[in-house]
Amino acid sequence: MVNLVFVGIQGSGKGTQAQFLNNKYGLKHVNIGSLLRLHVKKKTKIGREIQSTIENGKLVDDDIIFYLIKKEIQNNNDGLILDGFPRNVSQANYLQEKIKIDFVFFFELADDIAMKRLNARRICINCGKDYNLLSKKPKKDEVCDFCNDKLFTRKDDTEEAISKRLYSFHKYTENVISFYEGQSKLVKFNAGKPPEQIHREIIEVLENHQRV
Ligand code: AMP
């Protein structure tokens, strides 16, 4: 069993790599951003509280994040991938008290490339499948290949919100990288490479350490 943390600016391909590992090893993919968006969509109490924070590209309060993450990491028997958590040092400290993390994978990408990728991101309104108009186009414009439903742009994929998300990454999440570097758990990947190549590099790391 292996527990992983994925860190990287939005658009660095964390979700794609998590999906690959979920398919290969059955690791549970915990995507905190998706969980938060689901609350917004369902208009729950939490959803109403966090909607404007998310849409503005700011970080949601730790207390809400801890409440949601606690549910996800309990009864963990098969290993998991934490995608988008922790995003600041207080979250990293919280996690350290709860479970043992084996590796922290950092997907490095320049801000200008992330900005281009996020501007081109589209998501199916029905099944949530994600596309990119630059690298992973749908067969028909603005229509999902799988369910034929419409594609939409996330409200926080506007240039203004993306800039704020990049700002909070540099201000808060880079400290998380140093935190794990100090524990020799950090492995860096060049997120500008093709996803399949990064996937092979990840497998090499995991299988060399025989932790899966
Ligand atoms: P993402 O899908 O990872 O881009 O996350 C979308 C938004 O959810 C972020 O811009 C934040 O507003 C919020 N969010 C996601 N993960 C966290 C976290 N660990 N701490 C605080 N806010 C978060």
Side-chain angles (χ1 to χ4, degrees), residues 19-211:
Q19 202 50 56
F20 284 159
L21 291 189
N22 172 268
N23 293 343
K24 189 167 169 68
Y25 300 117
L27 299 178
K28 179 178 174 188
H29 178 196
V30 178
N31 180 337
I32 189 74
S34 294
L35 288 174
L36 295 168
R37 278 188 294 281
L38 198 63
H39 275 274
V40 173
K41 192 172 168 194
K42 288 185 174 165
K43 297 187 168 56
T44 63
K45 185 170 174 284
I46 289 182
R48 292 194 302 275
E49 224 174 297
I50 63 175
Q51 181 163 9
S52 69
T53 309
I54 293 192
E55 287 173 5
N56 285 309
K58 295 190 181 149
L59 289 186
V60 169
D61 278 353
D62 283 351
D63 287 349
I64 293 179
I65 300 292
F66 295 159
Y67 171 76
L68 294 176
I69 213 80
K70 194 171 166 191
K71 286 191 179 169
E72 295 297 319
I73 61 182
Q74 59 199 12
N75 308 322
N76 164 32
N77 300 317
D78 302 322
L80 46 80
I81 302 164
L82 296 173
D83 169 359
F85 176 88
R87 258 175 158 101
N88 59 33
V89 172
S90 105
Q91 294 181 6
N93 278 316
Y94 173 89
L95 184 62
Q96 184 151 276
E97 285 168 16
K98 301 283 174 214
I99 57 168
K100 180 177 166 286
I101 294 297
D102 294 285
F103 289 110
V104 176
F105 290 164
F106 172 31
F107 299 93
E108 278 186 292
L109 191 71
D111 283 8
D112 56 338
I113 303 179
M115 180 69 96
K116 275 192 202 138
R117 285 188 184 178
L118 293 175
N119 263 323
R121 180 156 73 176
R122 298 291 181 275
I123 296 160
C124 174
I125 204 160
N126 176 45
C127 71
K129 175 116 189 77
D130 67 305
Y131 295 86
N132 192 289
L133 303 184
L134 300 172
S135 55
K136 203 162 75 171
K137 277 189 179 175
K139 293 192 185 102
K140 247 198 264 169
D141 268 359
E142 305 295 331
V143 176
C144 179
D145 292 351
F146 295 91
C147 58
N148 247 354
D149 227 313
K150 270 201 282 182
L151 303 185
F152 76 103
T153 304
R154 266 170 56 172
K155 281 202 176 144
D156 59 352
D157 278 348
T158 61
E159 228 157 89
E160 200 190 341
I162 296 169
S163 299
K164 287 192 190 146
R165 288 153 73 199
L166 294 177
Y167 169 84
S168 47
F169 180 84
H170 295 299
K171 183 158 182 196
Y172 304 108
T173 313
E174 276 180 358
N175 297 329
V176 172
I177 294 167
S178 314
F179 178 96
Y180 287 117
E181 206 157 27
Q183 301 184 353
S184 306
K185 289 189 172 165
L186 196 79
V187 186
K188 294 182 186 177
F189 297 93
N190 173 354
K193 289 184 185 174
E196 294 72 18
Q197 190 176 336
I198 301 172
H199 177 55
R200 284 195 294 274
E201 292 176 11
I202 290 178
I203 289 177
E204 214 178 298
V205 171
L206 292 176
E207 297 201 348
N208 272 340
H209 287 77
Q210 297 180 331
R211 294 196 206 168

